[in-house]
Amino acid sequence: MFSLLSDQRLSALHSLRSRFVLGMGVMLLPLAVLVASAFWSLNGAVSALEEVVQDPVEELLIAKELQGRILGAGFPIHHYVSHENLENKERYLRTSLEVDLAFDRVQGFSHLSTVQRDLLGRARQEWTQAKSMVQGLFKTHDNLSGPALSRELDRIAAQLDLAVNTLDQFGDEALEEIHAKRESSRRVKQRSILLLMVTFAGGLLVAGIAAFALARSVLNPIRSLEHSVNRLGEGDLSSRAQLQRNDELGHLASGFNAMAEQLEKVHSELEYLSTHDALTGLMNYRRFHEMLGQEIHRASRYRRTFCLLLIDIDHFAEVNQQYGHLVGDSVLCSVTNRIANSIRPTDCSARYAGEKVGVILSETAFQGGLETAERIRREIAENTLNLGEGKHLDMTVSIGMAVFPEDADSDTALFMAADQALNRAKALGRDRVCTRHDLD
């Protein structure tokens, strides 16, 4: 992407240099001086453009990549501690190793500033401390009670957030670097304009005409490109250079637009991956808890109620063992799709564990939540899944429900209440809905 922009920049400069040489051959000495100064201005402006769009943009992508990996490392910890699933522990260990390798690779870049290296070092220390806390939790979680275990998980999540926030500061440093280089580019432009004005004062009429033509054909497009780069540096990833030309500057603008489009696409994909499950497309565990916290805040402020459903696919492990993980993934996607289609657009659903789904039913009281849960259970139980080749599979789900604020008034307590109801539904034989009332 950057090599394309650089090649087009060199091609543009080469062609413009040829134009300048030809002009000096046919114009008088003042015009030759004007051409030389204009070329210096152009070269400085385009060089400033290249500095703005290369290293700082790469640093922003580095920060996003590390943040995505750290967020991915926090996903399996809760489920291993809650369900003793060694696959989740192995997934955490693999992700942890990937994060360490990513830190090693990033710290090897030579273009990072001292402040950015300090921020990377601090983020790595916070990450290392989080790993130490996780190792301690893996050793002692069997001896911890439910509230103590929740507090320890919250401490680990907070420590991971510290590392992510430090990487946000790393990205802010990259943006500040863009602002500084933009200011330098502006000073170069001002000096170039001043030199041109002095040359105009002593030049001939033909030099003035040539300067006017040069300004229209070169400097104005450069200013337009600079404006687009400034917007990109300020965080507007939709910034595009509006140059409809077939010459070299038009090719340079096309290269810039291709780079900005790719950057916007990468940024959008990273944002999506940081909040959604890659397999099912539902929200992931971290985003689900953020939505739960927001719903609790809104319901508390306006004195409203809502329901939390925790849904477990019955005997899912047996499906994986009998048919393989590819079929298991297909079953999981089909079931989660039916769950999403059974709730309102204002509700939200998320995959918070391997075969477990969480649902927030906004503005819903106990009876409405129970009816929705039963509808979900029937939708899955009464519709056979088609596995292809004449094979069909009957699936059921167990559902635990808790109501805010009747059953609990905090996100952790509400989650634990729904989880207890889910465990009760599984203990009673699965394929059923249980609430906190069923625990009494």
Side-chain angles (χ1 to χ4, degrees), residues 55-60 62-63 66 103 106-107 109-124 166-178 181:
D55 289 349
V57 171
E58 185 177 4
E59 292 162 9
L60 286 174
I62 289 170
L66 268 172
F103 269 114
V106 171
Q107 289 178 330
F109 282 99
S110 60
H111 61 263
L112 299 180
S113 67
T114 302
V115 175
Q116 288 174 320
R117 290 191 181 281
D118 291 341
L119 288 171
L120 275 177
R122 191 171 65 182
R124 187 160 197 173
T166 302
L167 290 172
D168 278 335
Q169 297 177 37
F170 176 89
D172 292 340
E173 285 294 321
L175 288 177
E176 297 222 353
E177 183 180 352
I178 291 176
K181 290 183 178 180

Side-chain angles (χ1 to χ4, degrees), residues 42-61:
L42 174 64
N43 188 60
V46 176
S47 296
L49 168 65
E50 183 182 23
E51 290 180 0
V52 170
V53 299
Q54 286 190 6
D55 289 349
V57 171
E58 185 177 4
E59 292 162 9
L60 286 174
L61 292 175

Side-chain angles (χ1 to χ4, degrees), residues 241-257:
Q242 303 299 324
L243 289 180
Q244 304 298 326
R245 299 164 62 111
N246 293 323
D247 59 5
E248 295 75 13
L249 288 175
H251 297 324
L252 182 62
S254 298
F256 170 81
N257 290 341

